[in-house]
Amino acid sequence: MTVDPEQPDPSALAEAARVLRGGGLVASATETVYGLGAVATDERAVAQIFAAKGRPASNPVIVHVADIGQARSCVVAWPEVAEELARRFWPGPLTLVLNRAGRIPDIVSAGQPTVAVRAPAGNVARGLIERTGEPIAAPSANRSNRLSPTRCAHVLADLEGQIDLVLDSGPTAVGLESTVLDLTGEPLRLLRPGPISSRELESALPGRGLVLPAAGESVERPTSPGRMAVHYAPRTPSFRVDSSEELARISDRQGMAVIAIGAGSVPLAPPLTPVFRLETPDEASRHLYETLHHCDALGLRSILVVMPPDRPEWHAVRDRLLRATRPVASSE
Ligand code: TXA
Ligand code: MG
């Protein structure tokens, strides 16, 4: 069903809410990526999310809420730090991990005693949660370990036939998955870098320590499998280089697409095939997955990414790229 992203038709939202309340699955946009939603308190409906995605039962999903009040109903305690962060960044791309209340079934959190909650922005996401009247469990609407969808077509390419309804509200505004922050211990831990940067978090929490994941961390952490090394990967074999000089040294570029991210110039000599440039962190965030999906659709032999500089403003984009690609040397 096509809906206007700013003013979604109330009858379309009502229909989607009806499907959700009946135990069905609805894919729809948040400001970050499209999510595959089910009512979070409905264990059987949530089980269908895992089945549709082929998602391991060990990987917990995020619960989407309309506001702080609904978030509080999903957790056993709502600490001051959660209140401060939610007031500052919600609705928006910040997910908070807290201790889980009994009404959220085990399956949502992969049996862990915690739950990840966020209030997404955007009138489709907010309208749908409000009309459903329940928190909505929703991972990104892709097959497990594939790229997150930023358009309805990406959702259908992966999951057509396994979803009761998709609300197509066009491309998502932010394009990268939310920042995930664990508030259950001291110090606070950033589990997944994202659109809300660690700088923004630190400035919202003066005096509070924040543990960051090491750049390119490839250690599999069972507490947040989004951090696994191979995740968010295109189907096309994908490699990375750190500079356009390194790219220039690759002589066989037959069937290769190049995605150059950040400033740096790119040698354009044939037989170099398509070249995509994403210049700023915002542009890269918004278009990275779309560009990777597009390259996948071209059926190329390989994708080569020229990495953006290792600077804080590129942290989230680099995090996703380090998972989606391998160093070029490993292709040889
Ligand atoms: O922007 C987003 O976050 C999108 C939209 C749909 O909201 N959702 C999304 O969900 O990216 P998903 O399932 O693809 O990624 C959720 C991440 C995973 O890395 C998961 O392991 C982590 O959040 N996570 C969920 N619940 C958790 C918990 N209780 N403790 C630690 N990590 C958790
Ligand atoms: Mg995902």
Side-chain angles (χ1 to χ4, degrees):
M1 220 188 282
T2 303
V3 292
D4 186 278
E6 300 303 326
Q7 291 176 309
D9 178 1
S11 66
L13 293 180
E15 168 65 9
R18 195 189 59 74
V19 170
L20 286 169
R21 281 198 304 269
L25 299 187
V26 173
S28 60
T30 72
E31 79 281 39
T32 59
V33 299
Y34 275 73
L36 179 58
V39 168
T41 51
D42 182 338
E43 193 175 336
R44 284 178 51 185
V46 175
Q48 287 184 51
I49 296 178
F50 283 82
K53 282 183 60 92
R55 185 177 179 104
S58 58
N59 193 355
V61 302
I62 295 172
V63 173
H64 297 73
V65 294
D67 52 30
I68 290 176
Q70 203 172 37
R72 295 180 77 133
S73 77
C74 300
V75 301
V76 288
W78 180 253
E80 185 56 33
V81 62
E83 180 74 18
E84 279 169 36
L85 291 169
R87 279 177 183 270
R88 174 97 170 241
F89 297 108
W90 283 4
L94 177 64
T95 297
L96 302 175
V97 174
L98 290 155
N99 289 314
R100 174 165 56 103
R103 72 187 284 247
I104 302 297
D106 278 355
I107 186 172
V108 169
S109 297
Q112 296 183 48
T114 57
V115 62
V117 289
R118 90 172 183 102
N123 292 344
V124 174
R126 292 177 59 70
L128 184 55
I129 301 167
E130 278 162 15
R131 271 170 196 271
T132 305
E134 297 283 351
I136 298 178
S140 51
N142 50 280
R143 290 282 301 171
S144 190
N145 288 345
R146 291 292 172 201
L147 294 173
S148 290
T150 60
R151 289 174 180 271
C152 177
H154 303 156
V155 177
L156 294 177
D158 258 20
L159 297 172
E160 179 143 43
Q162 304 191 69
I163 312 175
D164 297 295
L165 180 65
V166 186
L167 294 178
D168 179 0
S169 55
T172 59
V174 174
L176 273 197
E177 306 90 344
S178 63
T179 304
V180 181
L181 183 64
D182 183 354
L183 302 181
T184 60
E186 283 287 349
L188 312 180
R189 299 178 65 88
L190 187 68
L191 299 179
R192 181 171 71 182
I196 306 290
S197 69
S198 52
R199 279 180 180 169
E200 287 174 276
L201 293 173
E202 279 162 347
S203 80
L205 300 167
R208 297 289 291 252
L210 184 63
V211 176
L212 308 182
E217 181 184 287
S218 56
V219 181
E220 185 175 319
R221 286 192 45 92
T223 52
S224 193
R227 299 173 76 190
M228 287 178 203
V230 180
H231 206 79
Y232 311 112
R235 274 184 285 270
T236 312
S238 301
F239 303 95
R240 62 177 178 267
V241 292
D242 284 320
S243 65
S244 44
E245 290 73 34
E246 226 183 297
L247 171 64
R249 286 199 291 273
I250 298 171
S251 48
D252 179 12
R253 301 186 200 138
Q254 203 67 52
M256 175 189 280
V258 171
I259 307 176
I261 304 183
S265 66
V266 177
L268 282 165
L272 198 61
T273 29
V275 177
F276 303 89
R277 293 165 194 280
L278 301 173
E279 284 174 16
T280 64
D282 273 357
E283 190 187 6
S285 165
R286 199 167 316 125
H287 298 299
L288 176 64
Y289 287 140
E290 188 182 359
T291 307
L292 290 170
H293 278 291
H294 178 68
C295 288
D296 253 355
L298 293 176
L300 296 157
R301 195 163 62 106
S302 61
I303 297 172
L304 198 129
V305 174
V306 183
M307 293 289 282
D310 189 0
R311 288 207 294 265
E313 66 272 27
W314 288 104
H315 195 189
V317 168
R318 282 182 61 92
D319 172 76
R320 305 306 188 273
L321 286 170
L322 290 169
R323 295 166 212 277
T325 63
R326 285 176 283 157
V328 82
S330 70
S331 67
E332 290 155 5

